[in-house]
Amino acid sequence: MSEIIEGAVPQWQPPHDTGGKEPASNWAQGAWVLYEWANQTYFSLITIFLFPPFFTNVLAANPVEGQAYWGYVQAIAGVTIALMSPLLGAMADAAGPRKPWIVASMLMCATGCFGLWFAIPGEPLFHVMVSLIVAAVGMEFAIIFANAMLPTIASDRRIGLLSGIGIGMGQLAAIFALILVLIFFQLPGEVSASFIPAEPLFGLSKAAHETDRIVGPISGAWFVIFMLPLLFMVPDQVTKGLGRREAAKAGLIRLWETLKSVRHFRNVGLYLLARMLFYDGMTAIFVFGGILAASIFQWGAMQMAIYGVWVTLFAALGGFVGGWVDLKIGSKRTLVWAIIGVVVFFAVILSFDRDRIFYFITVPVPEDAAAFSTLPQQLFLVMIALFGLMVGPVIASSRTMMARISPKEMMTEFFGLFALCGKATAWIAPLFIGIVTELTQNQRFGLMVAIPLILTGLVLLLFVKEERASAVVH
């Protein structure tokens, strides 16, 4: 066994065998945390808050077509990630270093993001859809390889804390980027305030939708710039001397052997199944909850932006707090309590309507009531904040749990399977929500589909052991 060297990672050094020291320096661990700051702006600007409405309402011929095409984009990207991530993870494990894969994935994502600048209204959507797919696939691959570095740079005791801090930092980055885009590109000319410029930054034209298209280049540049600390400061696995062809062959063999020996990893497999269910249900709530709020309270784009910042702020706080809780009580118990909180607060969220709270209590609401001024809206915001507070620990500890129970020698490979399980079934919750909503003509009944998914995942999680699996000898 190689000697532990502060700031360096010997090949396959077990995270728990550190002689009382962390496998990497605090600076290196901080640089890894910053990678979350780098990637979350992409999700905030391109996949959740700003670009989807532009794509659906402006680029597409009509909102129905736009929503359908957006679904096709996510499906194609998801299938691509599902098919390729386990193989690429196995190849990376076979070759050793993860940074070359991160660089390639990062540049792929940035290329797709910059391609969104050419999302000009009236032009064919094909190249926009290709750019979205390229960006999504590149981002997910980068996340797989970066996540797999965590157990090699931090001890078992600290990975939960770092994971939680990373999630919190990412959510803060999302808030910061969203506010900057609103202040410098979206609000000028619309809102008069001392801190808002009279015209959009760089002289961008709102008429040509340049202020909408700029979120692509901003996300791409942000990702590249803030990934640099990870690339320069975080120690990587040592090379095994394999070329691309040899690594591909070794990766295929390794992946096949892993799939054949799946019974050896029953605990990991059970966790992946549990996580697939509770995470898909929670993600559907996160996405469709905003749609429900906009529908019942008649919120416009400005209100939805404020709503997004509000929810993300509490998700960030949840990530920070969840990391500390994970450190104290472990990943599994943190996950269990956070998931219970998600279900409870979601059940309360469903109880609100324009003039109703807690399912049965009617309150008087003026027809011309301002946004956020009524009791149902205010209570909705309180409950969605508490829901976001639970989401942060679920995101952070679900990743930490994977790092704690996966074989250390196959970490990237298993994070590839982690991504595969997350993407391969991501269509289930939205599909059933759509079917039930259409059959019942009721948004709340449609969203209730998420509850049995989450509860089933929670029950399965109770049977998962928080212990590291040993690798199969090939």
Side-chain angles (χ1 to χ4, degrees):
M1 183 66 66
S2 303
E3 181 183 359
I4 302 293
I5 302 175
E6 187 73 14
V9 181
Q11 183 179 14
W12 304 133
Q13 176 63 50
H16 57 274
D17 184 15
T18 59
K21 297 181 180 180
E22 290 294 318
S25 68
N26 289 335
W27 284 103
Q29 293 179 1
W32 182 90
V33 166
L34 198 60
Y35 119 83
E36 292 282 13
W37 179 278
N39 69 51
Q40 283 301 318
T41 293
Y42 161 83
F43 294 107
S44 176
L45 301 185
I46 293 181
T47 68
I48 301 176
F49 297 120
L50 297 185
F51 199 82
F54 172 61
F55 180 92
T56 302
N57 299 324
V58 178
L59 295 180
N62 57 71
V64 173
E65 178 186 276
Q67 182 168 307
Y69 284 177
W70 189 263
Y72 299 151
V73 165
Q74 303 308 314
I76 293 171
V79 170
T80 303
I81 295 163
L83 292 176
M84 295 186 63
S85 54
L87 172 60
L88 291 180
M91 290 172 62
D93 277 332
R98 281 72 182 257
K99 287 184 182 180
W101 303 88
I102 293 175
V103 170
S105 302
M106 179 183 71
L107 294 178
M108 180 180 178
C109 178
T111 300
C113 289
F114 277 95
L116 298 180
W117 172 252
F118 303 100
I120 300 172
E123 296 291 326
L125 283 177
F126 179 75
H127 77 276
V128 181
M129 296 172 70
V130 170
S131 295
L132 286 167
I133 292 169
V134 169
V137 172
M139 175 59 74
E140 292 295 339
F141 286 166
I143 288 173
I144 290 170
F145 298 122
N147 281 349
M149 297 181 78
L150 177 58
T152 68
I153 65 168
S155 65
D156 275 356
R157 182 177 180 275
R158 191 179 283 190
I159 57 175
L161 180 64
L162 289 180
S163 181
I165 292 174
I167 294 298
M169 288 292 292
Q171 300 304 315
L172 291 179
I175 295 171
F176 185 66
L178 184 60
I179 292 175
L180 287 181
V181 170
L182 286 171
I183 291 175
F184 291 108
F185 298 108
Q186 299 293 333
L187 297 182
E190 303 290 337
V191 177
S192 178
S194 59
F195 60 91
I196 297 175
E199 298 292 335
L201 203 62
F202 309 129
L204 297 182
S205 169
K206 285 193 174 183
H209 293 281
E210 292 176 342
T211 52
D212 296 308
R213 292 151 46 195
I214 193 63
V215 299
I218 288 174
S219 300
W222 184 293
F223 187 43
V224 171
I225 291 170
F226 288 107
M227 283 294 285
L228 294 179
L230 180 145
L231 295 177
F232 286 110
M233 297 177 64
V234 178
D236 203 356
Q237 291 287 339
V238 298
T239 182
K240 296 183 177 179
L242 297 179
R244 285 191 297 268
R245 182 173 298 180
E246 290 80 9
K249 181 178 179 181
L252 281 171
I253 295 172
R254 189 181 189 90
L255 178 59
W256 175 245
E257 293 293 336
T258 299
L259 294 175
K260 284 198 307 180
S261 59
V262 68
R263 291 181 61 185
H264 182 78
F265 304 112
R266 287 191 300 269
N267 190 56
V268 179
L270 181 61
Y271 172 68
L272 288 174
L273 177 60
R275 192 255 185 190
M276 177 185 73
L277 294 171
F278 70 69
Y279 207 86
D280 284 356
M282 186 190 74
T283 301
I285 296 172
F286 204 73
V287 173
F288 285 90
I291 297 173
L292 176 66
S295 175
I296 63 178
F297 298 129
Q298 298 299 303
W299 287 345
M302 182 62 61
Q303 290 77 29
M304 288 304 298
I306 296 171
Y307 164 85
V309 171
W310 176 257
V311 178
T312 307
L313 179 64
F314 281 90
L317 178 60
F320 285 118
V321 174
W324 178 81
V325 174
D326 189 296
L327 179 65
K328 297 296 183 180
I329 69 174
S331 299
K332 179 179 174 179
R333 288 206 286 176
T334 302
L335 270 175
V336 168
W337 286 110
I339 292 170
I340 291 173
V342 163
V343 173
V344 170
F345 292 125
F346 176 57
V348 179
I349 287 169
L350 289 177
S351 73
F352 298 112
D353 206 335
R354 182 183 180 276
D355 58 356
R356 190 177 69 242
I357 60 176
F358 305 125
Y359 292 103
F360 307 111
I361 303 175
T362 301
V363 296
V365 174
E367 288 295 329
D368 58 349
F372 310 132
S373 67
T374 67
L375 183 61
Q377 293 183 68
Q378 292 164 356
L379 288 176
F380 182 94
L381 289 175
V382 171
M383 289 300 110
I384 201 68
L386 294 174
F387 173 81
L389 201 62
M390 297 296 103
V391 167
V394 173
I395 297 173
S397 289
S398 65
R399 176 174 61 187
T400 306
M401 184 71 173
M402 187 67 188
R404 290 188 191 278
I405 66 176
S406 298
K408 59 183 175 59
E409 298 90 348
M410 306 167 69
M411 195 62 64
T412 313
E413 188 174 344
F414 270 86
F415 268 106
L417 293 174
F418 185 72
L420 169 63
C421 293
K423 294 299 177 182
T425 60
W427 52 272
I428 291 179
L431 174 62
F432 279 98
I433 287 174
I435 292 173
V436 174
T437 301
E438 186 174 7
L439 290 176
T440 63
Q441 294 297 297
N442 188 299
Q443 286 179 285
R444 289 176 183 79
F445 289 164
L447 277 171
M448 286 179 182
V449 168
I451 293 179
L453 283 175
I454 296 173
L455 291 178
T456 303
L458 175 60
V459 171
L460 293 177
L461 178 64
L462 296 177
F463 294 94
V464 176
K465 299 176 182 178
E466 191 170 347
E467 60 185 29
R468 186 176 302 282
S470 58
V472 175
V473 179
H474 300 312

